[in-house]
Amino acid sequence: MSVLKIVRYPEPVLLTVGKPVTEFDVKLKTLVKDMFETMYAAKGIGLAAPQVDVSSRLFVMDCSGGGDETQKIAAINPEIIMHEGEQIGDEGCLSFPGLYQQIQRNMRTIVRAQDVDGNLFELDAMELTARCILHETDHCDGIVFLDRMTPLKREMAKRKIKKLQKTGEWE
Ligand SMILES: [Zn+2]
């Protein structure tokens, strides 16, 4: 297993719609293992393939941060099939180091995806888990959390990123 390099905004791969996964082979399983390792090393709770420079529709997540095996999820070709309610809360992203913003998301969502062997499953999630699923599925669609901010907050975030780029803290 290896820790992969996480790309930062505005790398084009982050703004590109990922290709559907069609091969459930060793290569995919290795990528998923590496993505889990990369996510835990970065102390994140979710990581999508475009964030490691792979333009494919998949993500890994673990809202327990490694403490609870049942929270460890790999979702291949995720599709949001239901969402309802709303929640507002702080959100971060491993491709936006040090940037946290309040983002409105659905309170509940159901995602349909495939596991690493290609078997379909559905996950009905609430609160933080739902927020994470929606954030990571967005990555598969080339959408970053900046796009989910209000215009005012987006401008503030962009200004902060520019500042960090100038001081070399963003690379
Ligand atoms: Zn993210």
Side-chain angles (χ1 to χ4, degrees), residues 6-68:
I6 298 174
V7 299
R8 306 268 198 261
Y9 176 85
E11 278 294 319
V13 67
L14 291 172
L15 312 173
T16 305
V17 179
K19 289 185 211 71
V21 174
T22 52
E23 304 287 331
F24 294 82
D25 54 7
V26 176
K27 211 177 134 199
L28 175 70
K29 292 178 173 77
T30 304
L31 174 63
V32 166
K33 275 184 194 156
D34 288 347
M35 283 172 62
F36 271 117
E37 187 158 324
T38 305
M39 179 185 79
Y40 289 131
K43 302 206 183 322
I45 58 169
L47 183 71
Q51 294 183 275
V52 291
D53 207 15
V54 177
S55 195
S56 293
R57 306 185 68 79
L58 71 132
F59 68 79
V60 297
M61 61 179 274
D62 181 352
C63 286
S64 77
D68 178 0

Side-chain angles (χ1 to χ4, degrees), residues 14 46-48 51 91-96 135-136 139 143-145:
L14 291 172
L47 183 71
Q51 294 183 275
E91 208 169 297
C93 178
L94 293 175
S95 295
F96 293 79
H135 179 118
E136 300 310 330
H139 274 305
I143 296 166
V144 291
F145 83 144

Side-chain angles (χ1 to χ4, degrees), residues 82-87 105-110 126:
M82 192 285 285
H83 54 84
E84 65 175 22
E86 65 173 57
Q87 57 171 325
R105 297 277 184 189
N106 293 115
M107 177 55 93
R108 181 185 170 207
T109 188
I110 299 177
M126 299 276 294

